[in-house]
Every structure is written in structure tokens, then in C-alpha cells.
Amino acid sequence: MKEAQLNNQTNETSRRGVSKAALVGASSLLTLALCGAASAAERGGGETIVTAAAIAAPAAEQAQEPQPGGATVVDEVLVTGLRGSLQRNLDIKRNAEGVVDAISAEDIGKFPDSNVAASLQRLPGVSIQRAGPRGEPQGITVRGFSGDFNETLYDGRRISTATGGRSVDFSTVGADFVGGLSVLKTPDVSLSSSSIGATINVQFPKPFDRPGRRMAFTASGSVQDDAGKVVPTVGALFSDTFADDKFGVLVDAMYTRHDTQTNRVFVSGWPGGYYRPCQLTPSCTDAQLNDPAGKTVLGWFEQQSGATQVYTKDERVDGRIALQWSPTEGVTVTLDDNYSRQNVRADNFGYGIWFNQDNLRNVKLDQNGTTVDFTQAGSQTDFTAGTDHNILQTNQTGLNLKWDVSENLKFEADASYAKSWLNPDGGVSSDNADVGYGFGIGPSLGISIGGDSKNTLPVLHSYGPNGDAARWADTSVIGSHVTVRQAQENTDVVKQLRFAGSWEQEGFRIKAGGSYMEDHYQIQQSNTFVNNYWQAYPGYGPASGANGGVMIPASLFTGKVSTKNFIPGFDGALPPYLLKFDAHAYQQYLTSLGNPQTQNIPGFNYGGGTVGTQFTGAFDLALDNGSIRDITEKTWSLFVRANFDVDVAGMPFHFNAGVREENTHVTANGFGQLPTEIRRNTGDPTLLTVVLSDPQAVSTKSNYSYLLPSIDMKLELTDSIHLRLDASRTLTRPGLNLLTPVLSVGTGQRVGALTGSGGSPALKPYLADNFDAAVEWYYQPNSYASINFFIKDVSNFIVGGTQRQTINGVIDPSTGQAALFSVTQQVNGPEATVRGVELAWQHVFGDSGFGFNGNVTLVDTNKPYDRTDISQSGFAITGLADSANLVAFYDKNGFEARFAVNYRKEYLRAFGQNQNTGAFGSEPTFENPSLQIDFSTSYALTKQVNLFFEALNLTNETQSTHGRFDNQLLDVFAYGRRYTAGARFRF
């Protein structure tokens, strides 16, 4: 009877035009849908079956089922390569109970892309965000929801991240030995409902996936055309099973290095506010400047403008071990450990010029109020250098027990412990040097904006000492300004327990269980702002006519970098070159001047508060009490899910209904301090020092509970046409870094730019009601077309409002009035609806080897951004943008070639800019349209040896952002092309 059932199921699968996959049992189908891996299949006596497990083995192999007595077991047929991967992805999508897209490895150690996020962007509705200075795909957006809206799991477990948010930096996930990726756009209540965008499940291989010995090696070299240095990637995987396949071990390790040289032009922020009418002329009288009602002209201005060149060295080590033991039939114990350590060092140098709205004259505004030209008398010109060095280390250990009591009854228990460290060594994470000239020789400098941020740079005019452009970077007049050092230390510990039991019989499955998750996040920062040491030698020195600062030896400047063709494809000339120098050498020079407490050092800031009486020559750091956060979040969950398979008018109908109850308790601890005084720097009138009260411990608690139902329905109208309907409620919790219970005000500030951030420990999660309707047509093997409509009604949106307010009545010495701080605080607020459609088409042209995979996503909302709204409560949904992806490929006779094109329209990326000092709340950041074309190819020399080549960003595209209006450029990064060549070995 069992053989007959198996044969019938196999024949039915073949009849429907999919690959020969014996999908035996509802639990196998469930695993396929939720884990993105083809199921294990039973083999009947004497019969050879090409199973879904065999086809998917290199991708996301599942444990093999025990063999019936007397069965003849033969080697399974492995379908590898690009077309094999696409077929597995199609099968996963087709057989899933909800809306699932997947990517599986083409072979062991052969993932479609070198970066996990880069692979995910090939899927419908998925776009990426890049890390500007590195150009690496770093995060993803699913159906317009980015960052924390998407939950990332490793083999079904939440991974910790010490960055403070809930999203994972995908540049830290080594792709080479990933087995597969699943993107669950509708939730599985037995796994999680904590993502409004999608749940991304990263699957790693295990030794029982394919018993026997397996080895894989990869070695390559890559070069970014601007960095010009070939750097290596090497990795190895070993897997074997012993003692009649009752014990297995898998070990892999990977070293990856990327060097990138990036050119950047920036405007740190476009604060909004009001000008005095006289500022539109060359001068203002004292009466006009002192008139409290004199500001009547609406406008946005450039807070700071500059350009830098950044050289980034990104090294990552990944290691993994998985042990499996099957002491008896039906019992599998798995112990695994995942480790990664990413070490990123970025050295930069450039210039930055600071502007204050009250000091601007000859202001010209366009029709939107954007300042397109102005002059500022006595402008300071800063030349900057810095080194940012951050280490992100993560380790996750898990133990899993699966017990198949019978064919009908199964249990699973899972426990894991994950910890992430940001800078576990406790070293300095950021060193910055700022030198320049100004005051007495400061020019009446200005900026002209002559075009759109997509292709035009801001143009400095009248620059150089006393306006002499030929002396733009004259080292004979450059003196010291400020020295900023910071040490950021974060940890995040995630503990998880999960238990589930399931019962299945023909046409019916039920699964129930519960879980516990504890997330403990800690953060603290030390810096030179707290002790005011950053202001030890400000003022630019004697050449600038200031009381403070010392001249900088010309020998500290090690070269000049031309700015010609600095940003490809952009109009607008920059100053002729950048000065190259090292922040550490600058600090060492200032330290070499001696101890200002034991000798008189001209130019030292003796009147600068604590720096004047405590600084002894070394730029030591002090703990910032306001940065200390200790957040603990505990969540208990219960779930139940039932699946029914029936026929409706002769058509197979699959119905899945579930509900998940989540109860969360949050404890937030910190130290509160309020400003008691603001002092102006005697050596540099552009700087302020805020004196704070003694720290007071603050602790708050909050809790919330939500019931999260989910329904999935799939009707097979014909063998090849499927109809899906899905409805669910999901949530996204606020980032742990937002739950601080205190108001934080920095001690080191600048004139006209006082800022603070408010705590929001009682934030509630976003809540979404989601609806999907899809039609899928699987018209031939490895080919399908689909259309999916979706709606998301989201409430409890968390918005960051920025308001100008007084704090503790302190006086601003630069105005003589009560100090106005721009305080940013997160609050729960409005509701919004997101709606869209995903169109996907995958086609293979017979046996020609040619094919393509394309998709288009169109999204819309009832709450678009209103650029004319200058209220402090302005709101819009971030991340929404139409996107399109196309992969054209050839795969035959061991040769593969692939062109991948990814496009995304302009979208609102976030609220907030690098400087948030405007009068109208947090100003927006828009990402300009992006288009990237990548190429990859490989050739199988033998069954074991594969050569490959990859070229990224063939057309040398840039990444750019702008503010409220299109001509308000914020950032543009030119990160160049990257080429990789190497070999893979498989045994």
C-alpha cells in the first residue's frame, strides 16, 4: 500500500510539469514552504527516485528519511548549475503554502552572488541599500519595508546584532557556503510573525543532508578599479558521516577581503528655517539683526559642505561547525555553531566647510526656498582626516532535537544562544582630525547650486585665504582646530527556546507549540567631547588671527589628490585637490607639544573649561554617561496552526490557518543628565561647551501583547495554474536603540546647532494587517509567470519628530537668549496603507541553454511625502519605490554566463540627515534612482573544478541622495567597479 501511494504521488508530480519530486507527507511540504528547501523523500523497495532532496541537496538539504526494510538504495542524481538552482527555487515557490520566494545554491560553495543581499535583490519586491563608502549591498527592502521591518533568521533562529537595530547587515553574512535563502512574504506562525516586510531565513548545510564525505574549496582574487589592489578570498568545507550514518560532522571556514576606494561629495544637512529679508542683500544693520520678529523669508540652507576620499579595508572571517547524531531511528540531534568577525577600517581625508544660517548674505532662493547661492564672510575652511575602525563579531550556538515518534506524531525542541559585539576589543573606533584656516583670512565664501542632485555637484566660489583660489590648500596658513576621538562598545545577547509538536494524517496536519526569546542590548560610548579635550587646540592658529590654535607643520601633509572627474557623470567643479594627511600623526604632533599644565603653550585653550585645567597632552577619552543604555526585552509566544488538503469541484485546495500570541516585556535603564550651563570657547567662537548635571540612574518598564492570526489558501485551478489568497496580522518591534529612557545632550556643540535626543522607552510595535492575492502559471519545466497583489494597513508608525525647545532654562551665550535645542524623539503616530503588485516571469528556451528571470514591483501609498508640509509632524512611509530586475543567462555544457540588471526609482529613504537642526522637524533623505548592471560567468573544467569571473557595476554607476527637494544634494558616492576571478573545487 505504501509503495502504491508513493508511486501515485510521484506520477501526479510528473503530470503537473514540475521536476520529479516525491513530496511525501504534509511535514515535508511544510518544510519545503517554510524553510525554502526541498523535502526529503521516501524510497520504495527496489525503485530509484530522483527526489526533491536530491535536487536541492547542494542548496538547503534536509535530513534523509529512514529507508524501508529491503529497499535498494542508489546514489541520488544531483542537478547543479544555474538552471538547477532556478528549478529548485520555482519548486519551492510552487509548493509553498504562503507567499515564498527562494534562492538556492547552484552547488556546494557556489552561490549565485558573492553577497547575500545582492542575491536577494533578484527576487520580486526585494531591493537593496548600499553602504556608501564600501558600495556593498548592506540591507534589503521588501515591498517598500526596509531595515527593522524584515526579520533575519539563521536556520529558523533570530540572530543577534550589536548595531542596535533588528536588521542584519548582510555584508557580514558570507555567501559562499550558504545553502539557500527563503523570503517569507506571508508569515508562518510556527516560525515568527515579527516582520511586516518579510522573514528571511538563511539555511546552512548539515552533514545528514547528504551522507558520505564531501569537500569543497574556493579561492579567488578581487580588485576594485579605484583601489587597484588584488585581495584574496579563500574557503573550505568538509562534511562526513560515520558509524552507518549515525554520526556526522560538517566544518567550513571562509576568509574574505574587499578593498574599496570611494570618492564622496556631501552636504551634511539642509535645515529649514527663516531668513531676515536683509540677508538677501550684501549686509544687515544691527537693528535688523536684533529685531526678534525679523525672520520672515522661508528657506533651506547647506549646513556643511565638503568632499572626501575614503579607502576601506573590509576583512571578514566566517566559521561554522555542525554535529549531528541519530542514536535511534526517528531521533536526530543537531549541535551547531556559527561564527563571524568583520573588521572594517576606513581611512579618509578631505575638506568640510561649516555654514550658519544667520551669517549668510546675498542669499538667492529658488521657487521652493532652496538656497542656491550665498556668501558667508570670514568663513573657516577645514581640512579633515580620520580613521574609522569597527569590529562586528557574532557567535551563535544552537541545539536541536527532532523526534519522529511515528509517521503521524513528531516533536521538535530547539535552543540557541547568540551574542554580538561591536568592538569587542574596546579600542578607539573613530579618530578624526580637523585643521584649516579662517577668521582673519577667512574668505566671503559661498556655494552655488546649479542643477539636480542626480548629476550636479555644489560649487564653491570665492574660496581660499582672503578669497585667493590659488592658495586653496596653502599649508603655510593651516592651523589646528579640533580633535574628535570616540570608542563605541555594544553587545547584544539573544537567548531562544522553542518547542513544537505536530500530528499529521491524510489531508490534515496540526502543529502547536511555544517559544521564549530574551534580547539584552547594552551600549556605551567614550569620547573627547565629555572631557572637552576635543577643543584643546582650536582656533586655526596665528595665521588666522585667532587667540587659539597652533600652526601645523607642512611635513604632516603627505600629498595632494586631484578632484578632476572626482564623481563620474556629474557636472560642477570642486576645488582643485584634497590634502592628504593622517589623523594619528596630527594627534601625535599636538601631544608632542607637551603638558600645558606644567608649561605655557601658546595656542592652547586655557579658557576652555575642563580642557584648560585637566588636559595634560594626551587625547584620552571619557565615558559619556548619556550614551549608556541597558535594554532587556523578553517575549513569550504560543502558536497553533492547522492545514487541510481537500478537493473542491475536483480541484486540490490547500487551507492553512494559524494564530500566534506574543507577550513582550521591556526594561530600559540609563543615566539622565540635564544641561546646567553653556560656555563659549574663547579660542574659537564657533564652538560651545555644554555643562551637564551629575548623572541620575533612570529605569522604566513597559509591556504589550498581541494576537497575530494568519490564513493561507491555495487553489490549483489546473495542473499549472494556481490561485493564492492570504491574510495575516504581523508586527515589527521598535529598534532596541530607540528604547533609551533618558534625554541625551552632547557636551561638545557648535554655534547655531544645539542638538539633543529624547528617550522613548514605551514605544509600541508597528502593527500591520496584510492581504495577498496571486495567480501563478507554471506552464513548462523551469518556467513560470505570476502576478501578486498585496495590501498592508500599518498602524503605530514610529516617527522621529525634531522640535526646537529650551532645556532647563540654560542661556545660549552666542545669542544671550534661552538656548534652543533641536531635540529628536521617536513617537508612535499615524496609520498608513501600502499597496502594490509584483509581476514575475521566468523562462527557459527549451534545451538551448538560454533563459531569463525578470520581475517588476509597483508600489503606492495613501500617505506620500508632502514636500510643502513644514509642520514638525510631517509623515510619510519610507522605502517605497517601484523596482525592476532582469537576469539573462546561458547555462549549458558546463558554461554559464549571466547579466543581471537592477533598477529602483527614487524613494524616501529616511527621516533625518547628518545634521538635524532645522525648525520643521527631521528633514527627509531621498535616494535617487539607481541602476546597476553586473556580469558573471563560470566554466566547469571537470566535474570537480570550476573557474569563475564576476564584474560588478559595469557602467560605473554612483549612489546619491538628496533632501526635501531634488536639488538639495546630501551625498554622492562613486564606489567604482569590482572584478573577481577564481576557482572552486568540489570532491
Side-chain angles (χ1 to χ4, degrees), residues 310 343 632 692 838 862:
V310 186
N343 189 334
T632 301
L692 300 175
E838 296 171 349
N862 66 335

Side-chain angles (χ1 to χ4, degrees), residues 258-338:
H258 283 169
D259 282 22
T260 308
Q261 181 174 290
T262 300
N263 294 337
R264 176 194 180 200
V265 174
F266 66 89
V267 173
S268 289
W270 284 86
Y274 290 92
Y275 289 103
R276 297 176 176 87
C278 67
Q279 291 183 260
L280 278 60
T281 69
S283 63
C284 292
T285 66
D286 289 342
Q288 289 170 323
L289 292 175
N290 294 325
D291 181 1
K295 293 185 175 183
T296 58
V297 180
L298 175 66
W300 286 262
F301 78 102
E302 303 92 321
Q303 182 81 81
Q304 183 186 34
S305 181
T308 61
Q309 186 171 95
V310 186
Y311 192 99
T312 303
K313 178 182 176 183
D314 181 356
E315 293 182 289
R316 191 182 68 243
V317 175
D318 299 286
R320 186 168 181 274
I321 184 169
L323 305 175
Q324 288 190 292
W325 177 41
S326 180
T328 185
E329 183 176 350
V331 176
T332 302
V333 180
T334 303
L335 175 66
D336 58 61
D337 187 90
N338 300 309

Side-chain angles (χ1 to χ4, degrees), residues 433-748:
D434 197 328
V435 301
Y437 54 82
F439 306 122
I441 58 175
S444 291
L445 188 148
I447 294 180
S448 296
I449 305 294
D452 194 279
S453 59
K454 294 192 293 290
N455 52 29
T456 306
L457 302 176
V459 176
L460 290 178
H461 57 76
S462 305
Y463 55 80
N466 294 315
D468 185 353
R471 299 177 61 201
W472 152 252
D474 182 354
T475 57
S476 69
V477 297
I478 293 179
S480 63
H481 189 35
V482 295
T483 303
V484 177
R485 309 186 74 207
Q486 300 178 81
Q488 186 73 51
E489 295 181 66
N490 301 358
T491 62
D492 183 37
V493 176
V494 176
K495 302 174 184 177
Q496 300 169 85
L497 294 172
R498 186 177 73 244
F499 176 80
S502 63
W503 173 268
E504 59 185 89
Q505 61 188 48
E506 187 174 357
F508 173 72
R509 301 172 301 282
I510 188 169
K511 186 174 184 179
S515 65
Y516 169 77
M517 181 178 297
E518 179 181 314
D519 196 340
H520 185 198
Y521 173 68
Q522 293 177 296
I523 176 176
Q524 69 174 36
Q525 184 187 97
S526 299
N527 54 54
T528 54
F529 290 120
V530 175
N531 51 24
N532 213 31
Y533 287 5
W534 77 303
Q535 298 183 19
Y537 290 95
Y540 303 111
S544 295
N547 296 327
V550 297
M551 299 306 298
I552 302 300
S555 60
L556 286 182
F557 301 99
T558 57
K560 298 178 180 179
V561 173
S562 172
T563 59
K564 186 177 181 179
N565 299 321
F566 199 67
I567 306 292
F570 273 68
D571 297 326
L574 299 173
Y577 48 81
L578 309 181
L579 277 177
K580 190 173 184 178
F581 69 106
D582 181 76
H584 301 93
Y586 166 69
Q587 292 172 14
Q588 290 169 4
Y589 170 73
L590 294 180
T591 298
S592 72
L593 298 177
N595 183 352
Q597 310 304 328
T598 60
Q599 60 181 309
N600 181 62
I601 302 178
F604 175 71
N605 188 10
Y606 285 101
T610 55
V611 66
T613 59
Q614 298 178 14
F615 181 80
T616 58
F619 288 90
D620 298 324
L621 285 69
L623 178 64
D624 182 356
N625 291 302
S627 72
I628 297 175
R629 302 173 189 176
D630 189 317
I631 315 294
T632 301
E633 180 184 82
K634 300 178 180 180
T635 300
W636 289 262
S637 303
L638 294 173
F639 70 86
V640 61
R641 190 195 65 198
N643 300 68
F644 303 88
D645 299 325
V646 298
D647 280 353
V648 175
M651 297 178 293
F653 178 69
H654 311 279
F655 179 81
N656 167 37
V659 65
R660 186 179 183 94
E661 169 75 17
E662 296 202 346
N663 192 294
T664 300
H665 295 260
V666 178
T667 302
N669 300 309
F671 290 90
Q673 292 178 281
L674 292 176
T676 59
E677 183 185 358
I678 301 177
R679 300 172 183 170
R680 195 160 191 173
N681 192 302
T682 57
D684 187 335
T686 68
L687 304 179
L688 297 173
T689 299
V690 180
V691 180
L692 300 175
S693 63
D694 293 335
Q696 299 292 323
V698 179
S699 180
T700 64
K701 293 184 178 182
S702 63
N703 62 81
Y704 51 84
S705 180
Y706 289 98
L707 192 67
L708 306 171
S710 176
I711 296 176
D712 302 299
M713 294 178 284
K714 183 175 70 171
L715 179 64
E716 300 183 28
L717 297 175
T718 69
D719 294 342
S720 59
I721 299 178
H722 295 183
L723 172 66
R724 295 183 186 273
L725 294 173
D726 308 87
S728 64
R729 170 168 285 188
T730 54
L731 59 79
T732 288
R733 292 179 173 83
L736 292 171
N737 58 328
L738 301 180
L739 302 180
T740 176
V742 299
L743 172 69
S744 178
V745 176
T747 54

Side-chain angles (χ1 to χ4, degrees), residues 159-164 172 337-344 389-397 417-427 488-494 520-523:
I159 187 67
S160 60
T161 171
T163 57
T172 67
D337 187 90
N338 300 309
Y339 171 85
S340 71
R341 181 181 173 95
Q342 185 182 38
N343 189 334
V344 180
H389 186 198
N390 288 286
I391 297 173
L392 184 60
Q393 180 174 311
T394 301
N395 195 81
Q396 183 187 62
T397 302
Y417 176 92
K419 185 172 183 178
S420 282
W421 300 261
L422 181 63
N423 302 318
D425 301 334
Q488 186 73 51
E489 295 181 66
N490 301 358
T491 62
D492 183 37
V493 176
V494 176
H520 185 198
Y521 173 68
Q522 293 177 296
I523 176 176

Side-chain angles (χ1 to χ4, degrees), residues 38 128 217 225 369 582 625 855 936:
I128 63 170
F217 304 91
D225 48 12
D582 181 76
N625 291 302
N855 58 77
S936 62

Side-chain angles (χ1 to χ4, degrees), residues 881-893:
D882 297 342
S883 61
N885 307 299
L886 175 65
V887 177
F889 63 85
Y890 176 83
D891 178 14
K892 193 172 184 179
N893 299 325

